[in-house]
Amino acid sequence: MRLIENHHIEQWARSSPAKSRFPYWVRELIQAVVDPHKLRLPHGDSVWMPGFDGVVQNNDTNEFVPIGSSVWEIGTDTNFRGKAKGDFEKRRTDTLD
């Protein structure tokens, strides 16, 4: 049995296909644990669209996806702290309206 190790994931995350495929896997994981009322998490060629990386409306109780409306910012950047800070600054005045 071949195991996926941490360095395999890190190597994949640095690849070009990861930037468009990662949102697909996050979307699949969300749908594996809840049945969201609304789920917008573009992947593939749509990852370059402006706005939040994802929007979820969920009514199911679980430990992974918040109840109600939530916005998601995701990425494969190695500078995850910089990405998080930049997303926070960019989105702090944005609303779902």
Side-chain angles (χ1 to χ4, degrees), residues 53 73-77 79-88:
D53 293 342
E73 292 289 348
I74 61 175
T76 59
D77 302 27
N79 180 9
F80 57 88
R81 285 185 180 90
K83 162 103 167 96
K85 184 177 180 181
D87 285 344
F88 178 78

Side-chain angles (χ1 to χ4, degrees), residues 10-27:
E10 289 173 349
Q11 182 180 0
W12 176 79
R14 288 190 296 270
S15 73
S16 293
K19 294 181 184 344
S20 62
R21 195 67 177 159
F22 184 57
Y24 168 82
W25 291 114
V26 172
R27 181 185 179 97

